[in-house]
Amino acid sequence: MTDKKELKKKEPFLDVEAGQQTPDILRKPVRDYQWLRNPIVIVLQILILGLFCRFTLDQVHRSAQPDPVHKTFMGYLGSLEENYAGTWLKEYSNETQFPGTEANIKLANWTRDKFLEFGLEVETDLYTTYISYPVSQSLDLLSASNGSVVFKAALQEDILEEDPTSLKSVPAFLGYAASGDVVGEYIYCNYGTKEDFDTLAELGVNATDKIAVIRYGKIFRGLKVKFAQDFGFKAALLFTDPKDDGEVTEANGYKAYPEGIARNPSAIQRRSSQFLSVFPGDPTTPGYAIKPGENKTRSSPHLTTPRIPAIPVSYREVIPILQKLSGHGPKVESWPAGLVPGYDYASIGPNPNYKLHLTNEQDFNITNLYNVYGKIEGHKKDEVIIIGNHRDSWTPAAGDPHTGSAVLLEIARALGNLQKTGWKPQRTIMLASWDGEEYGLLGSTEFGEYNAHDLSKKTLAYFNMDVSAVGNILELGASPMLYEVLRSTADLLEYPGTDKTLYDHFKENTNDTFKSLGSGSYYTVFLDHLGIPSVDMGFTSNRTGPVYHYHSVYDSYHWIESLADPGFVFHNLMAKYVGLSVLKLSETKVYQMKASDYASEIQRLYEKVEVPKNWLSRTIGHCSKGGKLVDLLSDTEQNIISLKKAAISFDEEAVQLQTKYDNWDSLSWWEKLALQLKIVKTNRKLNYFERKFLNPDGLKDRPWFRHIIYVSGRYTGYAGQQLPGLVEPIEDNDYETFVRGLTFFNNVVNNLATSI
Ligand SMILES: *[C@@H]1O[C@H](CO)[C@@H](O)[C@H](O)[C@H]1NC(C)=O
Ligand SMILES: *[C@@H]1O[C@H](CO)[C@@H](O)[C@H](O)[C@H]1NC(C)=O
Ligand SMILES: *[C@@H]1O[C@H](CO)[C@@H](O)[C@H](O)[C@H]1NC(C)=O
Ligand SMILES: *[C@@H]1O[C@H](CO)[C@@H](O)[C@H](O)[C@H]1NC(C)=O
Ligand SMILES: *[C@@H]1O[C@H](CO)[C@@H](O)[C@H](O)[C@H]1NC(C)=O
Ligand SMILES: *[C@@H]1O[C@H](CO)[C@@H](O)[C@H](O)[C@H]1NC(C)=O
Ligand SMILES: *[C@@H]1O[C@H](CO)[C@@H](O)[C@H](O)[C@H]1NC(C)=O
Ligand SMILES: *[C@@H]1O[C@H](CO)[C@@H](O)[C@H](O)[C@H]1NC(C)=O
Ligand SMILES: [Zn+2]
């Protein structure tokens, strides 16, 4: 352990899985440059560099000419006649893509072959993981008195003539939900949030032998199942309520898909019931990964997977079930209404005259995941930008993930074309097609855990492409390091059908505000676990646009082509947006990252933390210089202000360095040399800035999450929790943990303020 501490002091990255085998794409010798610091060597270096400066420095400079590269890249995606996104989307959304199945491996091969065709280097990277396959599900409403079936749910979407994807019937299941066959009375639990179960507890609800009926929405579905299990329910039934679609409902006069844009009432939402906020990835390998042929132990999956059965059901089929509860049991008048006719959304039940019979059978298997990578090696092999999206799906899904797969291939095509002109990027660009996301972010998490050491050193940024184009509204979540590059790139692009830029559109819709990243997609391991600046982006539907049939068979090619993105215009825009942003990061000499945006964001978040008044005068014990909490709080505030000042001047200097670099020819050789050295130092600081927010011990009770600014919300999953080390102890009324969290945070801020 002391070794690890030593290392931490020297290097801002965390040497988590040192010594593990790395995919070729990342494997490059990590050299120890200590000898370079020897004074004699330094003098020699200067002499040698002086002699060869004309040649070497100018050589390096000539290879960095970003603007023409941007133009040429845009050219390859420029005209919509040359837009292949629809072609790729059709190919990708042809079949269901369960991990380990023939169809999935075929599509992995197809993706690999496309990367090859475009001229990228390729690699297939396998992990063995624990997953579940659906075998059978059923749901019956029974008469309690004589056991006869009052209503039998089909658990299938309607087949629609217009939409060939609806012919492919897909089991209505939730990944990892336990197998089981249960009969019991049932209770309505609203959205199944922590507060909802607290409400049930106050009412004295006895869950023994009962089934929880829970509405989709607000939080990650796996946590609904977890809370139901923790409360003592023996099964959970999750249903979709179109009220949560907002304005566009049949009740408001919109027609349902396929005639119109409202939700089809038979749509079912599938996906994982994993407890995402505990840790993502393979439930049996927390913090590490296993490749085929490796003999490593697996732990019990139940830290993050349910012990109770759970299945999803459509709006149409939950109607007869919920109707039976009206007027039975206690009422919670504060719970919001939904659209089930004849149900008051307040009576929680049970109705002693009815029971549910719910079955779920799944096979739990160890299966190979196939990640596929395409790479364009840059002049700097050890500086990598990753763009990724998952390839697995449980229906022949178009929106999630394959709008992103199509965009990824368009970027690959354009970069490949660029490469064929003789261009080589400054930094390495890696495109990843991940497997196993729907089960709980398996493919990228295992990759991230396996290669933690290398990724921490070499990865500048991760761009996540899931659900890229299911509407026309840009949604953008990002690490503040990347705000600037995302804003300035959006300003270069036209918003379709207007004379506005994409950035104008973003500002109109969001007041220039980025979403905070939480979890729920594939950036999680990069940001929350490894501290790598990440972006999650996509075009989503507006409030009056077509309702997205998330994880239903109606998330189909037909739906995208006819309603969500006719002409694949927003696919094309997304390919340009991501491609250009990545090129800006790759091609400019000084990284286009901004520490000052991060400092401002930290200040904003810190100001929102509401410390209980009665804590302020409490002492802080051994953790700090002594004194009261209020002193530590104001010390932290001062340090944040210092960080902001330091970051602003650091960023200004970085801009000046780039400007100087752009006027290369006017510099003398020693100015060139000094500039190069300064740039190396600046880039190094930018590269490691976000990494410094990692706490190697992780969060209390969930050590996998190590980022102290952004993590997955423990009670929400999808939605992010900012400053978890401060906010969560306040929620828990846990003073000691709060002081520890604040001390750590203050130290990080202070170190950054003095070192940047
Ligand atoms: C698409 O599906 C059809 C049959 O369902 C099959 O013949 C075809 O090969 C599939 N295409 C791909 C790329 O898998
Ligand atoms: C995928 O490609 C590998 C290597 O080329 C080949 O051995 C394998 O049979 C292919 N699998 C499928 C399902 O096409
Ligand atoms: C069972 O009871 C229900 C009332 O709960 C009644 O409608 C139904 O006819 C009964 N079925 C049989 C087979 O007795
Ligand atoms: C809850 O219900 C079960 C079964 O109906 C019963 O055995 C148990 O005693 C009840 N618990 C409480 C606290 O009432
Ligand atoms: C795997 O490791 C276990 C102990 O860790 C050992 O007992 C077993 O023989 C190993 N199996 C193989 C195939 O190496
Ligand atoms: C999963 O495991 C079961 C046995 O538990 C086996 O029957 C089934 O074929 C396996 N499924 C797959 C897809 O490997
Ligand atoms: C937009 O953001 C600015 C600056 O952050 C703020 O002053 C303003 O109140 C915001 N406007 C709205 C409508 O939220
Ligand atoms: C929402 O999107 C639809 C098309 O999908 C468009 O017709 C409508 O004008 C948009 N509304 C707003 C407020 O942007
Ligand atoms: Zn997805």
Side-chain angles (χ1 to χ4, degrees):
M1 284 302 106
T2 44
D3 284 3
K4 209 165 161 184
K5 279 228 177 77
E6 278 303 310
L7 190 76
K8 246 178 266 150
K9 251 187 265 158
K10 266 188 275 167
E11 295 285 0
F13 63 87
L14 294 160
D15 192 7
V16 222
E17 318 294 345
Q20 286 196 336
Q21 182 198 332
T22 302
D24 288 340
I25 273 185
L26 284 167
R27 193 192 302 134
K28 292 285 174 273
V30 175
R31 296 181 204 94
D32 172 8
Y33 290 107
Q34 283 303 322
W35 58 272
L36 280 174
R37 295 184 191 149
N38 182 318
I40 299 171
V41 176
I42 290 175
V43 171
L44 275 176
Q45 266 180 304
I46 292 176
L47 284 177
I48 293 167
L49 276 170
L51 282 174
F52 292 103
C53 70
R54 281 241 143 65
F55 176 70
T56 48
L57 292 177
D58 290 347
Q59 189 78 355
V60 172
H61 181 253
R62 257 196 301 279
S63 57
Q65 297 290 342
D67 289 350
V69 167
H70 291 174
K71 254 196 211 124
T72 318
F73 176 83
M74 290 288 280
Y76 294 123
L77 298 171
S79 87
L80 287 175
E81 293 79 59
E82 288 285 303
N83 175 8
Y84 291 90
T87 313
W88 310 145
L89 183 64
K90 189 153 197 179
E91 198 76 33
Y92 270 113
S93 59
N94 192 31
E95 288 287 350
T96 298
Q97 301 291 335
F98 285 115
T101 59
E102 167 106 11
N104 183 313
I105 298 166
K106 242 172 92 181
L107 197 61
N109 281 358
W110 186 83
T111 304
R112 177 200 60 195
D113 294 346
K114 277 286 160 207
F115 284 163
L116 270 178
E117 182 190 321
F118 297 145
L120 277 57
E121 280 176 51
V122 298
E123 186 178 352
T124 306
D125 186 24
L126 272 62
Y127 296 91
T128 58
T129 56
Y130 172 85
I131 65 170
S132 69
Y133 293 101
V135 179
S136 68
Q137 286 73 31
S138 70
L139 179 68
D140 296 324
L141 182 65
L142 308 179
S143 151
S145 57
N146 58 25
S148 68
V149 175
V150 177
F151 167 71
K152 183 168 190 54
L155 299 182
Q156 288 249 337
E157 279 108 338
D158 295 345
I159 291 172
L160 311 176
E161 218 174 285
E162 296 85 342
D163 188 345
T165 306
S166 65
L167 286 166
K168 314 228 172 184
S169 88
V170 179
F173 83 112
L174 301 175
Y176 293 130
S179 293
D181 182 329
V182 301
V183 177
E185 290 176 349
Y186 54 99
I187 303 267
Y188 176 64
C189 307
N190 196 28
Y191 289 102
T193 63
K194 183 166 178 300
E195 294 75 42
D196 293 336
F197 283 103
D198 287 347
T199 303
L200 295 182
E202 279 161 27
L203 292 172
V205 167
N206 181 349
T208 308
D209 292 331
K210 295 199 178 63
I211 296 170
V213 179
I214 308 174
R215 178 173 178 169
Y216 268 123
K218 302 243 192 264
I219 64 170
F220 186 72
R221 80 186 71 62
L223 295 178
K224 297 170 190 266
V225 179
K226 178 181 194 297
F227 297 149
Q229 170 181 307
D230 293 348
F231 198 83
F233 283 101
K234 69 172 171 184
L237 178 68
L238 272 50
F239 73 95
T240 303
D241 198 310
K243 177 80 182 172
D244 296 309
D245 295 332
E247 162 69 20
V248 181
T249 60
E250 284 188 279
N252 284 345
Y254 290 88
K255 285 212 165 13
Y257 181 71
E259 283 79 33
I261 61 172
R263 179 180 299 277
N264 184 295
S266 72
I268 298 166
Q269 183 190 134
R270 299 159 185 81
R271 210 193 168 192
S272 182
S273 63
Q274 191 193 44
F275 308 159
L276 191 62
S277 63
V278 179
F279 63 85
D282 185 335
T284 65
T285 64
Y288 61 102
I290 306 181
K291 281 182 172 283
E294 287 181 347
N295 184 15
K296 295 186 193 163
T297 50
R298 292 177 184 272
S299 51
S300 154
H302 290 301
L303 276 177
T304 60
T305 64
R307 292 177 188 275
I308 61 171
I311 59 170
V313 67
S314 68
Y315 165 64
R316 184 200 286 158
E317 297 203 312
V318 85
I319 292 175
I321 295 170
L322 284 178
Q323 282 175 338
K324 301 290 183 289
L325 293 182
S326 268
H328 292 274
K331 279 191 168 191
V332 185
E333 299 288 359
S334 59
W335 281 353
L339 290 182
V340 167
Y343 177 51
D344 60 11
Y345 286 84
S347 306
I348 65 166
N351 178 343
N353 302 321
Y354 294 95
K355 289 184 171 179
L356 282 177
H357 178 200
L358 182 156
T359 71
N360 178 47
E361 198 193 338
Q362 301 201 48
D363 278 342
F364 293 83
N365 299 60
I366 301 294
T367 304
N368 283 337
L369 295 188
Y370 283 69
N371 289 344
V372 177
Y373 313 134
K375 184 184 71 164
I376 298 187
E377 194 170 89
H379 291 286
K380 305 239 172 55
K381 299 185 185 85
D382 286 353
E383 298 176 17
V384 184
I385 299 157
I386 306 177
I387 314 172
N389 185 39
H390 70 97
R391 194 189 60 252
D392 63 303
S393 68
W394 294 0
T395 63
D400 175 5
H402 293 311
T403 50
S405 308
V407 170
L408 196 69
L409 267 199
E410 279 295 83
I411 295 170
R413 183 174 68 83
L415 289 176
N417 280 336
L418 203 53
Q419 200 180 22
K420 284 175 195 148
T421 67
W423 167 84
K424 182 173 179 168
Q426 283 303 305
R427 307 187 172 99
T428 295
I429 299 171
M430 173 174 163
L431 309 185
S433 168
W434 313 111
D435 202 354
E437 194 257 8
E438 301 293 5
Y439 282 94
L441 321 181
L442 269 54
S444 84
T445 303
E446 300 312 298
F447 167 80
E449 291 172 342
Y450 206 90
N451 303 293
H453 177 81
D454 267 43
L455 288 169
S456 297
K457 284 206 145 179
K458 298 176 182 171
T459 317
L460 253 67
Y462 174 70
F463 284 72
N464 195 54
M465 304 304 307
D466 203 1
V467 197
S468 277
V470 297
N472 52 19
I473 305 290
L474 178 63
E475 274 205 29
L476 205 45
S479 153
M481 293 304 281
L482 301 172
Y483 286 176
E484 168 72 17
V485 74
L486 291 169
R487 284 186 174 123
S488 62
T489 308
D491 209 27
L492 298 175
L493 296 165
E494 276 169 35
Y495 188 78
T498 65
D499 53 7
K500 287 185 280 193
T501 68
L502 179 59
Y503 187 39
D504 292 333
H505 156 82
F506 179 67
K507 282 189 288 192
E508 274 169 25
N509 273 289
T510 66
N511 194 21
D512 208 13
T513 310
F514 289 78
K515 288 203 309 189
S516 283
L517 295 181
S519 186
S521 195
Y522 256 173
Y523 57 83
T524 309
V525 72
F526 294 99
L527 183 68
D528 300 10
H529 192 62
L530 299 173
I532 292 166
S534 301
V535 189
D536 192 35
M537 60 211 307
F539 288 103
T540 60
S541 193
N542 67 29
R543 276 185 301 132
T544 53
V547 170
Y548 179 41
H549 292 78
Y550 177 64
H551 287 173
S552 148
V553 294
Y554 304 135
D555 178 5
S556 62
Y557 180 80
H558 180 261
W559 181 80
I560 300 272
E561 181 202 32
S562 63
L563 292 174
D565 188 17
F568 304 97
V569 174
F570 287 91
H571 285 70
N572 179 258
L573 180 56
M574 188 51 88
K576 289 173 179 164
Y577 189 28
V578 175
L580 269 194
S581 302
V582 167
L583 283 177
K584 278 187 166 219
L585 281 174
S586 153
E587 299 309 284
T588 55
K589 187 71 182 173
V590 181
Y591 297 163
Q592 282 212 20
M593 293 182 173
K594 284 270 181 286
S596 54
D597 285 334
Y598 221 129
S600 302
E601 185 64 4
I602 287 172
Q603 187 175 40
R604 190 182 71 82
L605 295 172
Y606 185 72
E607 281 167 1
K608 286 200 317 196
V609 175
E610 288 179 20
V611 182
K613 293 230 158 48
N614 61 344
W615 282 8
L616 296 179
S617 58
R618 287 178 69 171
T619 53
I620 43 179
H622 64 280
C623 292
S624 180
K625 299 157 205 157
K628 299 200 162 78
L629 181 66
V630 69
D631 303 324
L632 182 57
L633 287 166
S634 66
D635 190 37
T636 307
E637 202 179 313
Q638 284 311 311
N639 284 331
I640 293 173
I641 293 168
S642 309
L643 173 60
K644 207 170 151 183
K645 277 192 197 140
I648 287 170
S649 61
F650 173 85
D651 285 346
E652 277 167 3
E653 195 187 326
V655 170
Q656 283 162 12
L657 291 180
Q658 180 67 45
T659 311
K660 245 185 175 173
Y661 189 80
D662 293 339
N663 295 308
W664 183 256
D665 292 336
S666 66
L667 303 177
S668 63
W669 75 263
W670 61 86
E671 283 174 323
K672 287 178 184 173
L673 182 58
L675 181 62
Q676 288 282 1
L677 293 176
K678 267 195 192 150
I679 288 176
V680 168
K681 202 168 144 198
T682 301
N683 279 349
R684 193 179 163 76
K685 285 181 180 175
L686 283 168
N687 189 35
Y688 285 124
F689 191 88
E690 179 122 33
R691 235 78 94 221
K692 302 221 179 176
F693 294 116
L694 296 182
N695 180 344
D697 297 333
L699 282 178
K700 184 167 176 274
D701 300 332
R702 38 189 194 135
W704 189 91
F705 288 96
R706 300 193 294 205
H707 205 295
I708 62 168
I709 314 290
Y710 298 108
V711 296
S712 162
R714 59 181 165 172
Y715 303 136
T716 58
Y718 279 142
Q721 174 65 63
Q722 296 92 51
L723 296 178
L726 308 185
V727 175
E728 291 182 354
I730 292 175
E731 285 170 5
D732 296 344
N733 195 21
D734 178 349
Y735 179 75
E736 297 302 324
T737 306
F738 177 81
V739 171
R740 265 202 306 281
L742 182 63
T743 308
F744 188 91
F745 174 69
N746 186 29
N747 286 342
V748 169
V749 171
N750 188 26
N751 285 341
L752 276 172
T754 49
S755 67
I756 196 168

